[in-house]
Amino acid sequence: MDFGGGAKRDIAVHEAGHAVARVLSIGRVGITNENAIRWIEMEEGTPHCSVFELPLNMPGLKEFGEREGIREGTRWTVEQWRKLFSYMGIDPLEWASVRVFELTAGAAAQAKFIDASFHLVWHDYGCSDDRQNVIETCQRTGLNGSEATRLFAEQAEQACIAMDNTDVWRAVLALAERLPTTGRMPGSTVISIVQNALRAL
């Protein structure tokens, strides 16, 4: 992974960690090969693994949203989120667990790569968006402070355990090595690379 500096290598591994965790969650809370990952972007200052938080292609979803006043671009209430989860047949706590696992997996991968503690990486500026997304995830599912803290601790531990798995770590490094220096890699390409690496192909 020669991207011209250690920081960029760290970032590539970080974003790969998010993506691999997402692939590991395929089959849960409506995540499929087709909707798991939009793309990974490696632009300077704005690296990002873009995912579909919910299976938005579900039949009848748009009409349901219109009836319940749930519209894109607006801030949804906890009650609206609950109605949405119920309509989709998704358990809110499982959804939150999957999201927090994925969000903490970037820091878990980066920490392993640079041989640092998870918490040192997690509290770095580079994880500020991930930290905010964890907070929002817990708020959307109506978790109180202690419940949110417990969920975060559990899923951060699971993310670190996952990175110590030989197949998972091989997939993280395989994807990181293939990520472009700049621009986007399509989600379908990301998933193919990760799944092949997990199977050692």
Side-chain angles (χ1 to χ4, degrees):
M1 288 179 290
D2 184 12
F3 295 143
K8 288 189 177 182
R9 289 195 293 272
D10 292 357
I11 291 168
V13 169
H14 183 111
E15 297 308 322
H18 286 312
V20 171
R22 185 72 173 179
V23 172
L24 292 174
S25 297
I26 287 174
R28 300 179 66 187
V29 295
I31 301 173
T32 66
N33 276 20
E34 289 70 35
N35 67 19
I37 299 172
R38 288 190 182 98
W39 36 257
I40 293 182
E41 186 169 61
M42 294 299 292
E43 294 299 339
E44 186 77 25
T46 58
H48 183 57
C49 178
S50 180
V51 305
F52 294 93
E53 292 186 10
L54 292 166
L56 299 178
N57 61 343
M58 178 177 285
L61 183 61
K62 182 178 179 182
E63 293 75 13
F64 170 80
E66 290 173 351
R67 289 197 306 273
E68 297 294 337
I70 303 172
R71 298 180 180 86
E72 285 192 63
T74 62
R75 191 173 182 84
W76 304 342
T77 66
V78 172
E79 183 59 29
Q80 286 175 320
W81 275 97
R82 284 176 178 159
K83 289 179 178 179
L84 192 59
F85 288 132
S86 178
Y87 178 80
M88 291 181 157
I90 291 174
D91 178 86
L93 185 57
E94 184 183 9
W95 176 82
S97 297
V98 167
R99 281 290 288 154
V100 175
F101 172 67
E102 169 206 324
L103 289 164
T104 56
Q110 186 176 351
K112 180 177 175 67
F113 184 70
I114 65 174
D115 194 22
S117 75
F118 168 82
H119 290 285
L120 181 67
V121 175
W122 181 251
H123 291 290
D124 186 71
Y125 171 78
C127 287
S128 57
D129 286 347
D130 295 336
R131 292 195 300 270
Q132 183 59 36
N133 282 329
V134 166
I135 292 170
E136 291 178 0
T137 295
C138 293
Q139 289 174 339
R140 289 168 181 174
T141 47
L143 297 178
N144 63 35
S146 61
E147 291 169 336
T149 298
R150 183 166 57 251
L151 179 68
F152 169 76
E154 290 171 353
Q155 295 309 314
E157 181 180 10
Q158 289 304 309
C160 291
I161 290 171
M163 295 307 149
D164 283 333
N165 178 284
T166 301
D167 293 338
V168 171
W169 189 239
R170 180 176 60 245
V172 169
L173 295 181
L175 177 58
E177 289 167 357
R178 297 273 298 275
L179 287 174
T181 306
T182 60
R184 291 181 177 180
M185 177 181 282
S188 57
T189 304
V190 173
I191 292 168
S192 176
I193 292 170
V194 171
Q195 291 180 335
N196 284 339
L198 287 170
R199 296 192 296 261
L201 297 179

